[in-house]
Amino acid sequence: MPDIYIDGDACPVKREALRVAERHRLTVYLVANSWMRLGDNPLLKQVVVGEGLDVADDWIAERITGQDVVITGDIPLAARCLEKGALALNHSGKPFTQDNIGMALAMRDLKGQLRDLGEIKDHGPGFSKKDRSRFLSALEEALQKLKRQG
């Protein structure tokens, strides 16, 4: 059975992921630097990691397997999870794949350099209902794919 790992600190779709997990009776690991109030759900395992750069990412990357799904906006974490064979989705449902992760990493680095130079002030678009809906569909599709691979 797959597990769902959520890089939780800035994730806007925690409740949606938990709803899908309930339908499939899957465990969700919500990994963050602080406790989050999401109710009492036996499928939810909250993991509070210490402060520090990439501590939550390291926890996830050390435990995820090729039968799991990670939900993250962190492109380097997505790359680490893909290396272990896991499926990776961003918050708006776009899958990270072996075919697109290299470009995503390169664009992340380029945008970081441009921000450092003051050339762009990219905060990205707001999170919409359409993004939420697309995420729900993509997570369902990812879980169905894992079940077929069984």
Side-chain angles (χ1 to χ4, degrees):
M1 272 303 213
D3 290 324
I4 299 172
Y5 290 79
I6 301 175
D7 183 10
D9 286 318
C11 180
V13 290
K14 293 181 277 291
R15 292 188 190 284
E16 289 80 2
L18 192 53
R19 206 167 59 226
V20 173
E22 286 173 339
R23 192 167 47 247
H24 292 274
R25 307 289 305 152
L26 302 175
T27 301
V28 174
Y29 293 93
L30 176 64
V31 186
N33 296 111
S34 61
W35 184 261
M36 297 183 186
R37 296 183 69 172
L38 287 174
D40 188 26
N41 187 318
L43 297 174
L44 178 63
K45 309 295 182 206
Q46 287 204 49
V47 179
V48 178
V49 296
E51 295 293 322
L53 191 60
D54 297 331
V55 177
D57 297 357
D58 291 343
W59 192 96
I60 293 169
E62 289 168 7
R63 288 163 179 82
I64 200 161
T65 73
Q67 292 298 309
D68 299 325
V69 177
V70 65
I71 300 162
T72 185
D74 185 302
I75 297 167
L77 172 58
R80 292 171 69 186
C81 293
L82 288 174
E83 287 174 10
K84 294 186 83 174
L87 298 180
L89 298 174
N90 74 9
H91 304 141
S92 62
K94 182 177 179 188
F96 293 103
T97 66
Q98 294 298 338
D99 292 336
N100 70 18
I101 196 68
M103 181 61 79
L105 286 164
M107 288 301 296
R108 174 188 174 273
D109 291 345
L110 176 61
K111 285 183 176 182
Q113 290 171 359
L114 291 173
R115 272 192 299 277
D116 290 347
L117 294 171
E119 295 293 323
I120 61 170
K121 295 179 180 162
D122 180 17
H123 299 292
F127 194 75
S128 70
K129 287 182 181 181
K130 188 174 181 179
D131 292 326
R132 202 171 300 281
S133 176
R134 190 171 35 246
F135 168 78
L136 285 166
S137 294
L139 181 56
E140 182 66 34
E141 185 177 313
L143 293 173
Q144 292 298 331
K145 179 179 179 180
L146 287 172
K147 284 185 176 185
R148 283 190 304 272
Q149 291 174 352

